[in-house]
Coordinates of all heavy atoms in Angstrom, one line a residue:
Chain B
T174 N 24.5 22.9 -22.6 CA 25.5 21.8 -22.5 C 26.7 22.2 -21.6 O 27.9 22.1 -22.0 CB 26.0 21.4 -23.9 OG1 24.9 21.4 -24.8 CG2 26.6 20.0 -24.0
R175 N 26.4 22.7 -20.4 CA 27.4 23.1 -19.5 C 28.1 22.0 -18.8 O 29.2 22.1 -18.3 CB 26.8 24.1 -18.5 CG 26.3 25.3 -19.0 CD 25.8 26.3 -17.9 NE 24.8 25.7 -17.1 CZ 24.8 25.7 -15.8 NH1 25.8 26.1 -15.1 NH2 23.7 25.2 -15.1
F176 N 27.5 20.8 -18.8 CA 28.0 19.7 -18.0 C 28.6 18.6 -18.8 O 28.1 18.3 -19.9 CB 26.8 19.2 -17.1 CG 26.2 20.2 -16.2 CD1 24.9 20.7 -16.4 CD2 26.9 20.7 -15.1 CE1 24.4 21.6 -15.6 CE2 26.4 21.6 -14.3 CZ 25.1 22.1 -14.5
T177 N 29.7 18.1 -18.3 CA 30.5 17.1 -19.0 C 29.7 15.9 -19.4 O 29.8 15.4 -20.5 CB 31.7 16.7 -18.1 OG1 32.5 17.8 -17.9 CG2 32.5 15.6 -18.8
E178 N 28.8 15.5 -18.5 CA 28.0 14.3 -18.8 C 27.2 14.5 -20.1 O 27.1 13.6 -20.9 CB 27.0 13.9 -17.7 CG 27.7 13.4 -16.5 CD 26.7 13.1 -15.3 OE1 25.5 13.0 -15.6 OE2 27.2 13.0 -14.2
N179 N 26.7 15.7 -20.3 CA 25.9 16.0 -21.5 C 26.7 16.3 -22.7 O 26.3 16.0 -23.8 CB 24.9 17.1 -21.2 CG 24.0 16.8 -20.0 OD1 23.4 15.7 -20.0 ND2 23.8 17.7 -19.1
A180 N 27.9 16.8 -22.5 CA 28.8 17.3 -23.6 C 29.6 16.1 -24.2 O 29.9 16.1 -25.3 CB 29.7 18.4 -23.1
L181 N 29.9 15.1 -23.3 CA 30.9 14.1 -23.7 C 30.5 13.3 -25.0 O 31.3 13.1 -25.8 CB 31.1 13.2 -22.5 CG 32.1 12.1 -22.8 CD1 33.5 12.7 -23.1 CD2 32.2 11.1 -21.6
A182 N 29.2 13.0 -25.1 CA 28.8 12.1 -26.2 C 29.1 12.7 -27.5 O 29.3 11.9 -28.5 CB 27.4 11.7 -26.1
A183 N 29.2 14.0 -27.6 CA 29.4 14.6 -28.9 C 30.9 14.4 -29.4 O 31.2 14.5 -30.6 CB 29.1 16.1 -28.9
T184 N 31.7 14.1 -28.4 CA 33.2 14.0 -28.7 C 33.7 12.6 -28.6 O 34.8 12.3 -29.0 CB 34.0 14.9 -27.9 OG1 33.7 14.6 -26.5 CG2 33.6 16.4 -28.1
G185 N 33.0 11.7 -27.9 CA 33.5 10.3 -27.7 C 33.2 9.8 -26.3 O 32.2 10.1 -25.7
T186 N 34.1 8.9 -25.9 CA 33.9 8.3 -24.6 C 35.0 8.6 -23.6 O 34.9 8.1 -22.4 CB 33.8 6.7 -24.8 OG1 35.1 6.3 -25.4 CG2 32.7 6.3 -25.7
V187 N 36.0 9.3 -24.0 CA 37.1 9.6 -23.1 C 37.1 11.1 -22.8 O 37.2 11.9 -23.8 CB 38.5 9.3 -23.8 CG1 39.6 9.6 -22.8 CG2 38.5 7.8 -24.1
P188 N 36.9 11.5 -21.6 CA 36.8 12.9 -21.3 C 38.1 13.7 -21.6 O 39.2 13.1 -21.5 CB 36.5 12.9 -19.8 CG 36.2 11.5 -19.4 CD 36.8 10.7 -20.4
S189 N 38.0 15.0 -21.8 CA 39.2 15.8 -22.0 C 40.0 15.7 -20.6 O 39.4 15.7 -19.6 CB 38.9 17.2 -22.3 OG 38.2 17.8 -21.3
G190 N 41.3 15.6 -20.7 CA 42.0 15.5 -19.5 C 42.2 14.0 -19.1 O 42.9 13.7 -18.1
G191 N 41.5 13.1 -19.8 CA 41.7 11.7 -19.6 C 40.8 11.0 -18.6 O 40.8 9.8 -18.5
E192 N 40.1 11.9 -17.8 CA 39.1 11.3 -16.9 C 38.1 12.3 -16.4 O 38.3 13.5 -16.5 CB 39.9 10.7 -15.6 CG 40.7 11.7 -14.9 CD 40.0 12.5 -13.8 OE1 39.0 11.9 -13.3 OE2 40.3 13.7 -13.6
H193 N 37.0 11.8 -16.0 CA 35.9 12.6 -15.4 C 35.5 11.9 -14.1 O 35.0 10.8 -14.2 CB 34.8 12.8 -16.3 CG 33.7 13.7 -15.8 ND1 33.9 15.0 -15.4 CD2 32.4 13.5 -15.6 CE1 32.8 15.6 -15.0 NE2 31.8 14.7 -15.1
R194 N 35.7 12.6 -13.0 CA 35.3 12.0 -11.7 C 36.0 10.6 -11.5 O 35.4 9.7 -10.8 CB 33.8 11.9 -11.5 CG 33.0 13.2 -11.7 CD 31.6 13.0 -11.3 NE 30.8 14.2 -11.6 CZ 30.8 15.4 -10.9 NH1 31.6 15.5 -9.9 NH2 30.1 16.4 -11.3
G195 N 37.2 10.5 -12.1 CA 37.9 9.2 -11.9 C 37.6 8.2 -12.9 O 38.3 7.1 -13.0
F196 N 36.7 8.4 -13.8 CA 36.4 7.4 -14.9 C 37.1 7.8 -16.1 O 37.0 8.9 -16.6 CB 34.9 7.4 -15.1 CG 34.1 6.8 -13.9 CD1 33.4 7.7 -13.1 CD2 34.1 5.5 -13.6 CE1 32.7 7.3 -12.0 CE2 33.4 5.0 -12.5 CZ 32.7 5.9 -11.7
E197 N 37.8 6.9 -16.7 CA 38.6 7.1 -17.9 C 37.7 6.9 -19.1 O 38.0 7.3 -20.3 CB 39.8 6.2 -18.0 CG 39.5 4.7 -18.1 CD 40.7 3.8 -18.1 OE1 41.3 3.7 -17.1 OE2 40.9 3.2 -19.2
H198 N 36.6 6.2 -18.9 CA 35.7 5.8 -20.0 C 34.3 6.0 -19.5 O 33.9 5.4 -18.5 CB 36.0 4.3 -20.4 CG 35.1 3.8 -21.6 ND1 35.6 3.8 -22.9 CD2 33.8 3.4 -21.6 CE1 34.6 3.3 -23.6 NE2 33.5 3.1 -22.9
L199 N 33.5 6.8 -20.3 CA 32.1 6.9 -19.9 C 31.3 6.8 -21.2 O 31.5 7.4 -22.2 CB 31.9 8.3 -19.3 CG 32.6 8.6 -18.0 CD1 33.8 9.5 -18.2 CD2 31.7 9.3 -17.0
E200 N 30.2 6.0 -21.0 CA 29.2 5.9 -22.1 C 27.9 5.9 -21.3 O 27.5 5.0 -20.6 CB 29.3 4.6 -22.9 CG 30.5 4.6 -23.8 CD 30.6 3.3 -24.6 OE1 30.0 3.3 -25.7 OE2 31.2 2.3 -24.2
L201 N 27.1 7.0 -21.6 CA 26.1 7.3 -20.7 C 24.7 7.2 -21.3 O 24.5 7.3 -22.5 CB 26.2 8.8 -20.1 CG 27.6 9.0 -19.5 CD1 27.7 10.4 -19.0 CD2 27.8 8.1 -18.3
A202 N 23.7 6.9 -20.5 CA 22.4 6.6 -20.9 C 21.4 7.1 -19.8 O 21.8 7.2 -18.7 CB 22.1 5.1 -21.2
T203 N 20.2 7.4 -20.3 CA 19.1 7.6 -19.3 C 17.9 6.8 -19.8 O 18.0 5.9 -20.6 CB 18.9 9.0 -18.9 OG1 17.9 9.1 -17.9 CG2 18.4 9.9 -20.1
H204 N 16.7 7.3 -19.4 CA 15.5 6.4 -19.5 C 14.9 6.4 -20.9 O 13.9 5.6 -21.1 CB 14.5 6.9 -18.5 CG 15.0 7.0 -17.2 ND1 15.4 5.9 -16.4 CD2 15.3 8.1 -16.4 CE1 15.9 6.4 -15.2 NE2 15.8 7.7 -15.2
G205 N 15.4 7.1 -21.9 CA 14.7 7.0 -23.2 C 15.6 7.5 -24.3 O 16.9 7.5 -24.1
S206 N 15.0 8.0 -25.3 CA 15.7 8.4 -26.5 C 16.0 9.9 -26.6 O 16.7 10.3 -27.6 CB 14.9 8.0 -27.7 OG 13.7 8.6 -27.7
A207 N 15.5 10.7 -25.7 CA 15.7 12.1 -25.7 C 17.0 12.5 -25.0 O 17.6 11.8 -24.2 CB 14.6 12.8 -25.1
G208 N 17.6 13.6 -25.4 CA 18.7 14.2 -24.7 C 20.0 14.0 -25.5 O 20.1 13.6 -26.7
Q209 N 21.1 14.3 -24.8 CA 22.4 14.4 -25.4 C 23.4 13.3 -25.1 O 24.5 13.3 -25.5 CB 23.0 15.7 -25.0 CG 22.1 16.9 -25.1 CD 22.8 18.2 -24.6 OE1 23.8 18.7 -25.1 NE2 22.2 18.7 -23.5
L210 N 22.9 12.3 -24.3 CA 23.8 11.2 -23.9 C 24.1 10.2 -24.9 O 23.5 10.2 -26.0 CB 23.2 10.6 -22.6 CG 22.9 11.5 -21.4 CD1 22.3 10.7 -20.3 CD2 24.1 12.3 -21.0
H211 N 25.1 9.3 -24.7 CA 25.6 8.4 -25.7 C 24.5 7.5 -26.2 O 24.4 7.3 -27.5 CB 26.7 7.5 -25.1 CG 27.9 8.3 -24.8 ND1 28.1 9.0 -23.6 CD2 29.1 8.4 -25.4 CE1 29.3 9.5 -23.5 NE2 29.9 9.2 -24.6
Y212 N 23.6 7.0 -25.3 CA 22.6 6.0 -25.8 C 21.6 6.7 -26.7 O 21.3 6.2 -27.8 CB 21.9 5.4 -24.6 CG 20.7 4.6 -25.1 CD1 20.8 3.4 -25.7 CD2 19.4 5.1 -24.8 CE1 19.7 2.7 -26.2 CE2 18.3 4.3 -25.3 CZ 18.4 3.1 -25.9 OH 17.4 2.4 -26.4
A213 N 21.2 7.9 -26.4 CA 20.2 8.6 -27.2 C 20.8 9.0 -28.5 O 20.2 8.8 -29.6 CB 19.8 9.9 -26.5
R214 N 22.1 9.4 -28.6 CA 22.7 9.7 -29.8 C 22.9 8.4 -30.7 O 22.7 8.4 -31.9 CB 24.1 10.3 -29.6 CG 24.0 11.8 -29.1 CD 25.4 12.3 -28.7 NE 25.4 13.7 -28.5 CZ 25.6 14.7 -29.3 NH1 25.9 14.4 -30.6 NH2 25.6 15.9 -29.0
W215 N 23.2 7.3 -30.0 CA 23.4 6.0 -30.7 C 22.1 5.6 -31.3 O 22.1 5.2 -32.5 CB 23.9 5.0 -29.7 CG 24.0 3.6 -30.2 CD1 25.0 3.0 -30.9 CD2 22.9 2.6 -30.1 NE1 24.6 1.7 -31.2 CE2 23.4 1.4 -30.7 CE3 21.7 2.6 -29.5 CZ2 22.6 0.3 -30.8 CZ3 20.9 1.5 -29.5 CH2 21.4 0.3 -30.2
L216 N 21.0 5.7 -30.6 CA 19.7 5.3 -31.1 C 19.3 6.1 -32.3 O 18.9 5.6 -33.3 CB 18.7 5.3 -29.9 CG 17.4 4.7 -30.2 CD1 17.5 3.1 -30.2 CD2 16.3 5.1 -29.2
R217 N 19.5 7.4 -32.1 CA 19.0 8.3 -33.2 C 19.9 8.1 -34.4 O 19.4 8.2 -35.6 CB 19.1 9.8 -32.7 CG 18.0 10.1 -31.6 CD 17.8 11.6 -31.5 NE 19.0 12.3 -31.0 CZ 19.2 12.6 -29.8 NH1 18.4 12.3 -28.8 NH2 20.3 13.3 -29.4
A218 N 21.2 7.8 -34.2 CA 22.1 7.7 -35.4 C 21.9 6.3 -36.1 O 21.9 6.2 -37.3 CB 23.5 7.8 -34.9
N219 N 21.6 5.3 -35.3 CA 21.6 3.9 -35.9 C 20.2 3.4 -36.1 O 20.0 2.5 -37.0 CB 22.3 3.0 -34.9 CG 23.8 3.3 -34.9 OD1 24.6 2.9 -35.8 ND2 24.2 3.9 -33.8
H220 N 19.2 3.8 -35.3 CA 17.9 3.4 -35.4 C 16.9 4.5 -35.3 O 16.1 4.6 -34.3 CB 17.6 2.3 -34.4 CG 18.6 1.2 -34.3 ND1 18.7 0.3 -35.3 CD2 19.6 1.0 -33.4 CE1 19.8 -0.5 -35.0 NE2 20.3 -0.1 -33.8
P221 N 17.0 5.5 -36.2 CA 16.2 6.7 -36.0 C 14.7 6.5 -35.9 O 14.0 7.2 -35.2 CB 16.5 7.6 -37.2 CG 17.1 6.6 -38.2 CD 17.8 5.5 -37.4
E222 N 14.3 5.4 -36.5 CA 12.8 5.1 -36.4 C 12.4 4.7 -35.0 O 11.2 4.7 -34.7 CB 12.5 4.0 -37.4 CG 13.0 2.6 -37.0 CD 14.5 2.3 -37.4 OE1 15.2 3.3 -37.6 OE2 14.8 1.1 -37.6
A223 N 13.3 4.3 -34.2 CA 13.0 3.9 -32.8 C 12.9 5.0 -31.8 O 12.3 4.9 -30.8 CB 14.0 2.9 -32.3
A224 N 13.4 6.2 -32.2 CA 13.5 7.3 -31.2 C 12.1 7.7 -30.7 O 11.9 8.0 -29.5 CB 14.2 8.5 -31.8
A225 N 11.1 7.7 -31.6 CA 9.8 8.1 -31.2 C 9.0 7.0 -30.6 O 7.8 7.2 -30.1 CB 9.0 8.6 -32.4
M226 N 9.6 5.8 -30.4 CA 8.8 4.7 -29.8 C 8.7 4.8 -28.3 O 7.9 4.2 -27.7 CB 9.4 3.4 -30.2 CG 9.4 3.1 -31.7 SD 10.3 1.5 -32.0 CE 10.1 1.4 -33.8
F227 N 9.7 5.5 -27.7 CA 9.8 5.6 -26.3 C 8.8 6.6 -25.7 O 8.3 7.5 -26.4 CB 11.2 6.0 -25.9 CG 12.2 5.0 -26.0 CD1 12.8 4.7 -27.3 CD2 12.6 4.2 -24.9 CE1 13.7 3.7 -27.4 CE2 13.6 3.2 -25.0 CZ 14.1 2.9 -26.3
Y228 N 8.5 6.4 -24.5 CA 7.6 7.4 -23.8 C 8.3 8.7 -23.6 O 9.5 8.7 -23.1 CB 7.2 6.8 -22.4 CG 6.3 7.6 -21.6 CD1 4.9 7.5 -21.7 CD2 6.8 8.4 -20.6 CE1 4.1 8.3 -20.9 CE2 5.9 9.2 -19.7 CZ 4.6 9.1 -19.9 OH 3.7 9.8 -19.2
P229 N 7.7 9.8 -23.9 CA 8.3 11.1 -23.6 C 8.3 11.4 -22.1 O 7.2 11.6 -21.5 CB 7.5 12.1 -24.4 CG 6.2 11.4 -24.6 CD 6.4 10.0 -24.6
A230 N 9.5 11.3 -21.5 CA 9.5 11.4 -20.0 C 9.0 12.8 -19.5 O 8.4 12.9 -18.4 CB 10.9 11.2 -19.5
L231 N 9.1 13.8 -20.3 CA 8.7 15.1 -19.9 C 7.5 15.6 -20.9 O 7.5 15.1 -22.0 CB 9.8 16.2 -20.0 CG 11.1 15.9 -19.2 CD1 12.1 17.0 -19.4 CD2 10.7 15.7 -17.7
D232 N 6.7 16.4 -20.3 CA 5.5 16.9 -21.1 C 5.9 18.2 -21.8 O 7.0 18.7 -21.8 CB 4.3 16.9 -20.3 CG 4.3 18.0 -19.2 OD1 5.3 18.8 -19.2 OD2 3.5 17.9 -18.3
A233 N 4.9 18.8 -22.4 CA 5.1 20.1 -23.1 C 5.6 21.2 -22.2 O 6.2 22.2 -22.6 CB 3.9 20.5 -23.9
D234 N 5.3 21.1 -20.9 CA 5.8 22.1 -19.9 C 7.1 21.7 -19.3 O 7.6 22.3 -18.4 CB 4.8 22.2 -18.8 CG 3.5 22.9 -19.3 OD1 3.6 23.7 -20.2 OD2 2.4 22.6 -18.7
L235 N 7.7 20.6 -19.9 CA 9.0 20.1 -19.4 C 8.9 19.6 -18.0 O 9.9 19.5 -17.3 CB 10.1 21.1 -19.6 CG 10.4 21.6 -21.0 CD1 11.5 22.6 -21.0 CD2 10.7 20.4 -21.9
E236 N 7.7 19.2 -17.6 CA 7.6 18.6 -16.3 C 7.4 17.1 -16.5 O 7.1 16.6 -17.6 CB 6.3 19.2 -15.6 CG 6.6 20.6 -15.1 CD 5.4 21.3 -14.5 OE1 4.3 21.0 -14.9 OE2 5.6 22.2 -13.7

Side-chain angles (χ1 to χ4, degrees):
Chain B
T174 321
R175 296 187 296 128
F176 299 108
T177 299
E178 288 179 17
N179 300 316
L181 180 62
T184 57
T186 58
V187 180
S189 64
E192 59 86 30
H193 182 58
R194 304 191 187 282
F196 295 103
E197 64 182 71
H198 180 100
L199 297 102
E200 288 185 88
L201 304 178
T203 185
H204 310 290
S206 57
Q209 309 175 67
L210 303 180
H211 293 82
Y212 172 69
R214 285 174 174 268
W215 171 86
L216 191 72
R217 293 197 295 263
N219 294 282
H220 310 290
E222 70 276 24
M226 295 177 183
F227 286 78
Y228 182 83
L231 302 180
D232 64 15
D234 290 329
L235 301 179
E236 291 175 330

